[in-house]
Amino acid sequence: MTDNEEGMKAAEIRVKESILVTYAADLAASRNGAAYRPLSAGNMSYSRANSINDLRTAIMESIEPMDLVSQLVEKDANRLKKMGQAFTEMDLAASQSIQELEVR
């Protein structure tokens, strides 16, 4: 035995069998009660878990519109690029015709 074990006395717990059986029966009865599932029927609409679920749903629903916006911006950028090229060609043609007028 170590020094700590020598100084300690063994404790004995005494319980009446009838009290233990009653306690076990009460415990078993409480286990068979209705299960509490807060999110199963939507009965915790303002809970943190439901708020997180709402946030997740909102994020997932916003992905498609963001994708559509990015496609729209890409189309608009291509359109602006084509317009810029067309204006550049028109400017070159106009400058050439102006130069021809100046030479004459």
Side-chain angles (χ1 to χ4, degrees), residues 74-88:
E74 185 177 348
K75 286 180 183 177
D76 198 33
N78 288 333
R79 183 180 60 84
L80 289 172
K81 183 179 178 182
K82 289 177 183 177
M83 284 176 58
Q85 290 171 347
F87 281 122
T88 302

Side-chain angles (χ1 to χ4, degrees), residues 43-97:
N43 58 353
M44 285 184 69
S45 59
Y46 299 107
S47 71
R48 176 183 285 171
N50 202 32
S51 296
I52 292 170
N53 191 34
D54 288 345
L55 175 64
R56 184 181 305 123
T57 301
I59 289 171
M60 294 303 290
E61 288 175 352
S62 68
I63 289 174
E64 185 178 353
M66 284 189 285
D67 187 39
L68 293 174
V69 166
S70 68
Q71 290 174 5
L72 180 66
V73 167
E74 185 177 348
K75 286 180 183 177
D76 198 33
N78 288 333
R79 183 180 60 84
L80 289 172
K81 183 179 178 182
K82 289 177 183 177
M83 284 176 58
Q85 290 171 347
F87 281 122
T88 302
E89 290 173 6
M90 293 296 289
D91 283 344
L92 289 174
S95 69
Q96 286 176 357
S97 64

Side-chain angles (χ1 to χ4, degrees), residues 15-28:
V15 178
K16 290 184 178 180
E17 186 178 354
S18 61
I19 293 174
L20 184 61
V21 169
T22 303
Y23 176 74
D26 290 344
L27 189 61

